[in-house]
């Protein structure tokens, strides 16, 4: 009888162990992630690596993560159109955080926050300031290289040549080539106005901007800046083009230099090969003087939807996707600069020309902080200038219209 009882007891223990998955956690979880097309494959691999890392602790049979494409630049609008139907996690540009936080579409990060803050440079670092509001962390810094600088082909330009945009344009024209920049985006045309001493900032209401681009500084007027941009746009060595056409031109040899960002580092390096190089933005001619071009800087962030049904797992996944090793993976595969300070200070990151150029540009870069009303007016203005102001509209009138649009309360 005692022997039979012992057998039943042993069988019971085996049943309990089997039912408990040998002590493993057995979550029934479904999570969705929205990210860019370029990030989709990388994140898919990172999720699989996450499952492998914790395979001894967790049974992932009923753990489903679905990754879909949604561009960082449009993510905010897509999320806010239907927050409850949006993904559990989503990547977005740091300038979108205010709108997402104000509309309660972001879950405050409560798991391992002190470590996340320390890993990204501390509470006063630009990475954490761009991810926080009112003392709370609302997103995970993922990429620190959301800025721009000058790529160039060293077969055509010396290190001295690339300090001057005038010199670069002349060299490009002489060789039947182009220096490229996107005048249709206020993100880039900001560089001329900020370099000249003008400013644009989002107001405390987080919905409108202040802007003085149609005015005057100690150095010049806004009209002087517009005239300088017109001269650049009309130069035989200049090409106004968007990202896709920039890469095509780099690959076919038409474009031998251009203002762009780290996300295209691998493409440019593959095209320029041993002549691949990058540096800070050059100076440009403004009212007879040489003026250093400035730039916007920003971050790509990973946020968690306030409506997620699995906040704990969402935070665990988000922390994994943005940790030191995965930021290095992102750098190796896409050339993106890490926000994690250990990853950013590694020898391989510091040796990259694009990262070095971004570091050089940092002395002349400013954290992007503009409301939505900035983008449409600057698109219209930049497109007009790139086209040579064909209607010969008075430049002061163009600038007044531009500034009125930027400072309005309507998109």
């Amino acid at each position: 009888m005692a022997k039979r009882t012992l057998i039943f007891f042993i069988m019971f223990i085996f049943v309990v162990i089997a039912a408990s998955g040998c002590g493993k956690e057995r979550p029934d979880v479904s999570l969705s992630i929205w990210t860019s097309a370029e990030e989709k494959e990388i994140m898919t691999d990172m999720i699989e690596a996450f499952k492998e890392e914790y395979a001894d602790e967790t049974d992932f049979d009923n753990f489903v993560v679905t990754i879909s494409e949604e561009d960082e630049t449009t993510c905010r609008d897509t999320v806010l159109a239907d927050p409850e139907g949006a993904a559990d996690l989503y990547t977005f540009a740091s300038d979108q955080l205010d709108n997402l936080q104000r509309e309660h579409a972001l879950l405050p990060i409560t798991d391992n926050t002190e470590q996340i803050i320390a890993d990204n440079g501390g509470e006063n670092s630009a990475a954490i300031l761009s991810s926080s509001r009112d003392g709370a962390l609302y997103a995970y810094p993922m990429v620190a290289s959301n800025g721009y600088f000058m790529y160039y082909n060293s077969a055509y330009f010396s290190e001295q040549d690339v300090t001057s945009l005038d010199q670069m344009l002349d060299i490009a024209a002489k060789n039947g080539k182009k220096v490229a920049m996107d005048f249709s985006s206020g993100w880039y045309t900001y560089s001329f106005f900020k370099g000249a001493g003008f400013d644009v900032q989002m107001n405390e209401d987080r919905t409108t901007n202040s802007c003085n681009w149609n005015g005057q500084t100690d150095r010049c007027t806004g009209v002087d800046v517009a005239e300088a941009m017109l001269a650049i746009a009309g130069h035989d060595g200049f090409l106004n083009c968007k990202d896709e056409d920039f890469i095509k031109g780099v690959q076919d040899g038409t474009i031998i230099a251009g203002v762009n960002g780290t996300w295209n580092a691998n493409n440019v390096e593959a095209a320029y090969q041993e002549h691949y190089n990058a540096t800070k933005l050059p100076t440009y001619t403004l009212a007879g003087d040489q003026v250093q071009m400035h730039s916007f800087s920003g971050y790509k962030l990973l946020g968690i939807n306030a409506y997620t049904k699995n906040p704990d797992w969402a935070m665990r996944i988000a922390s994994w996707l943005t940790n030191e090793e995965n930021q290095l993976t992102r750098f190796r595969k896409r050339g993106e600069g890490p926000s994690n300070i250990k990853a950013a200070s590694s020898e391989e990151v510091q040796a990259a020309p694009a990262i070095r150029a971004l570091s050089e540009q940092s002395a002349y870069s400013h954290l992007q902080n503009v409301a939505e009303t900035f983008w449409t007016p600057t698109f219209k203005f930049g497109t007009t200038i790139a086209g040579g102001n064909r209607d010969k509209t008075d430049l002061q009138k163009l600038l007044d219209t531009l500034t009125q649009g930027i400072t309005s309360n309507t998109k």
Side-chain angles (χ1 to χ4, degrees):
M1 183 72 177
K3 186 175 181 180
R4 184 179 297 177
T5 300
L6 178 60
I7 292 172
F8 278 123
F9 177 75
I10 292 172
M11 291 176 63
F12 173 76
I13 293 297
F14 274 117
V15 170
V16 170
I17 290 173
S20 63
C22 298
K24 291 183 181 181
E25 183 178 5
R26 303 187 69 184
D28 187 0
V29 171
S30 179
L31 288 171
S32 56
I33 302 175
W34 284 349
T35 193
S36 65
E38 297 80 7
E39 277 284 330
K40 186 177 179 181
E41 182 178 348
I42 294 174
M43 278 200 176
T44 299
D45 292 341
M46 289 177 180
I47 294 297
E48 291 307 308
F50 173 84
K51 293 178 180 179
E52 291 177 12
E53 178 72 15
Y54 296 102
D56 291 340
E57 304 173 20
T58 308
D59 184 341
F60 289 106
D61 285 348
N62 295 318
F63 191 95
V64 179
V65 177
T66 304
I67 303 176
S68 303
E69 294 179 15
E70 177 65 44
D71 195 88
E72 287 107 351
T73 60
T74 58
C75 187
R76 177 204 50 214
D77 293 338
T78 307
V79 169
L80 294 183
D82 181 17
E84 294 186 49
D88 296 280
L89 299 90
Y90 51 84
T91 59
F92 60 97
S94 56
D95 67 308
Q96 299 178 7
L97 185 134
D98 282 299
N99 293 100
L100 291 165
Q101 186 262 340
R102 187 176 60 248
E103 298 299 326
H104 309 292
L106 285 169
L107 185 73
I109 310 306
T110 57
D111 182 43
N112 203 29
T113 53
E114 290 186 5
Q115 188 63 52
I116 295 166
I117 291 170
D119 287 346
N120 289 279
E123 61 183 9
N124 292 318
S125 69
I128 295 303
L129 291 174
S130 72
S131 311
S132 306
R133 291 294 181 271
D134 305 321
L137 187 67
Y138 279 95
Y140 297 76
M142 186 174 81
V143 170
S145 52
N146 207 19
Y148 48 95
F149 46 87
M150 180 67 77
Y151 284 109
Y152 69 95
N153 186 325
S154 63
Y156 296 90
F157 304 103
S158 69
E159 291 185 2
Q160 182 60 37
D161 291 333
V162 296
T163 64
S164 165
L165 183 57
D166 293 336
Q167 179 74 352
M168 295 184 74
L169 291 171
D170 288 344
I171 291 172
K174 182 179 178 180
N175 288 276
K177 305 294 184 179
K178 301 292 183 181
V179 176
M181 186 174 179
D182 183 6
F183 270 27
S184 72
S185 171
W187 202 53
Y188 294 107
T189 56
Y190 167 87
S191 61
F192 296 105
F193 286 94
K194 187 62 177 177
F198 292 94
D199 203 13
V200 59
Q201 288 287 335
M202 182 164 56
N203 295 322
E204 290 185 3
D205 61 14
R206 299 185 184 180
T207 58
T208 60
N209 297 303
S210 59
C211 179
N212 64 348
W213 289 9
N214 63 336
Q216 183 172 351
T217 67
D218 293 339
R219 173 182 286 167
C220 65
T221 65
V223 169
D224 291 328
V225 178
E227 288 176 344
M229 292 176 66
L230 274 173
I232 293 166
H235 198 290
D236 288 341
F238 178 77
L239 179 66
N240 173 61
C241 67
K242 294 184 179 295
D243 221 48
E244 182 179 346
D245 290 326
F246 168 71
I247 292 303
K248 288 180 180 177
V250 165
Q251 291 171 338
D252 67 22
T254 304
I255 294 173
I256 56 174
V259 177
N260 211 269
T262 57
W263 53 92
N264 278 321
N266 291 345
N267 289 323
V268 179
E269 182 175 13
Y272 291 167
Q273 298 182 17
E274 71 270 20
H275 298 298
Y276 166 66
N277 215 332
T279 187
K280 70 173 180 63
L281 296 177
T283 63
Y284 75 103
T285 300
L286 175 65
D289 294 325
Q290 287 298 301
V291 173
Q292 172 64 50
M293 296 171 69
H294 284 229
S295 64
F296 272 135
S297 64
Y299 294 80
K300 292 180 183 178
L301 309 177
L302 178 60
I304 297 174
N305 193 331
Y307 291 95
T308 182
K309 293 180 174 63
N310 295 287
D312 293 340
W313 277 105
M315 282 188 251
R316 287 183 65 179
I317 289 288
S319 186
W320 172 264
L321 292 172
T322 58
N323 66 16
E324 177 186 351
E325 186 55 41
N326 280 323
Q327 289 203 20
L328 280 172
T329 297
R330 201 169 275 112
F331 162 76
R332 291 165 186 147
K333 293 191 175 182
R334 295 195 59 210
E336 294 276 29
S339 63
N340 181 285
I341 55 175
K342 288 184 180 179
S345 62
S346 67
E347 288 187 16
E348 62 179 312
V349 172
Q350 290 298 308
I355 300 299
R356 187 172 62 248
L358 199 65
S359 178
E360 293 171 359
Q361 183 61 33
S362 65
Y364 312 102
S365 66
H366 311 270
L367 192 62
Q368 182 178 318
N369 183 33
V370 292
E372 268 305 287
T373 53
F374 175 76
W375 302 107
T376 299
T378 53
F379 168 80
K380 292 178 180 178
F381 172 80
T383 302
T384 298
I385 295 296
N389 190 22
R390 292 189 183 92
D391 295 337
K392 305 302 178 187
T393 304
D394 179 75
L395 293 180
Q396 185 62 58
K397 183 178 179 181
L398 270 181
L399 288 164
D400 289 341
T401 301
L402 167 66
T403 305
Q404 183 180 5
I406 290 173
T407 58
S408 72
N409 57 9
T410 305
K411 289 185 183 181

